[in-house]
Amino acid sequence: MSKKKKIIVLTSMVALLAVTAVFNFMFTTKSLGSTEMPVTANSYFAEMRAERVSARSENLTQLDTIINGTEVSATERSEALKLKMQLTEMTEQEMLLETLIKAYGFEDCVVTMGINSSNVNVMVKTTDLTQEDAILIYSIIEEEHISTFENVNIIPIS
């Protein structure tokens, strides 16, 4: 695979992550039309997790192809391996945050993070997000040294 193709593949993977974040935002702020079936909170969280897993699996598969390629330079292999490690670390951090947030009493949540930014989006299942709830979520994220409160978006889903 040529260097140009590898750069295109890596760029498309990063773009796919950005598209996933945009869809995430759109799904949380989308108003329902009369012909659309309302999405329940339970199905929303399941769908978000499934989409995230699918996108990450595809990204990791593409990175593995680059890493295991025979016509790949050491620099390209190193960049692909670095990106793979970042994706793996990001996935682990998202899962950790979700577990911690649920441990503090929230019924369900999904956390998404950007690979090229320090933004953290937290969709939490709640009918009434209080200021204390938001402070609790901010403090969990900050205690784990993942991001600062300026870069955290908490989106209540009921």
Side-chain angles (χ1 to χ4, degrees):
M1 193 178 337
S2 72
K3 185 174 182 176
K4 184 177 181 179
K5 287 182 182 178
K6 292 173 191 166
I7 290 171
I8 291 171
V9 169
L10 285 173
T11 304
S12 65
M13 287 186 292
V14 172
L16 183 60
L17 283 173
V19 168
T20 303
V22 169
F23 278 128
N24 179 25
F25 178 76
M26 288 174 34
F27 285 135
T28 58
T29 59
K30 178 172 88 171
S31 63
L32 297 174
S34 59
T35 60
E36 296 179 359
M37 294 294 295
V39 177
T40 65
N42 290 337
S43 65
Y44 171 81
F45 291 103
E47 288 176 26
M48 286 304 303
R49 283 191 192 92
E51 287 177 26
R52 183 178 62 191
V53 167
S54 175
R56 295 273 167 81
S57 294
E58 185 177 325
N59 290 340
L60 291 173
T61 300
Q62 291 173 348
L63 287 170
D64 284 337
T65 301
I66 293 170
I67 292 168
N68 297 325
T70 57
E71 298 178 11
V72 178
S73 71
T75 304
E76 293 166 335
R77 184 173 284 118
S78 175
E79 288 175 17
L81 190 56
K82 181 181 173 185
L83 186 56
K84 182 177 180 179
M85 294 300 290
Q86 287 175 326
L87 284 173
T88 303
E89 183 180 321
M90 189 171 60
T91 301
E92 290 173 359
Q93 289 176 334
E94 289 170 343
M95 290 171 44
L96 172 66
L97 289 175
E98 289 173 6
T99 301
L100 290 173
I101 291 168
K102 288 183 212 175
Y104 276 95
F106 291 96
E107 187 177 340
D108 205 354
C109 71
V110 173
V111 176
T112 60
M113 299 168 54
I115 195 163
N116 292 326
S117 71
S118 57
N119 290 342
V120 178
N121 296 307
V122 180
M123 284 65 65
V124 63
K125 184 176 182 180
T126 183
T127 55
D128 183 34
L129 184 69
T130 65
Q131 185 175 6
E132 290 80 20
D133 292 338
I135 291 170
L136 176 62
I137 293 170
Y138 287 133
S139 64
I140 291 169
I141 293 169
E142 204 161 38
E143 284 173 7
E144 293 301 319
H145 306 291
I146 293 174
S147 188
T148 58
F149 76 93
E150 299 93 17
N151 297 322
V152 176
N153 301 310
I154 300 173
I155 305 163
I157 306 290
S158 55

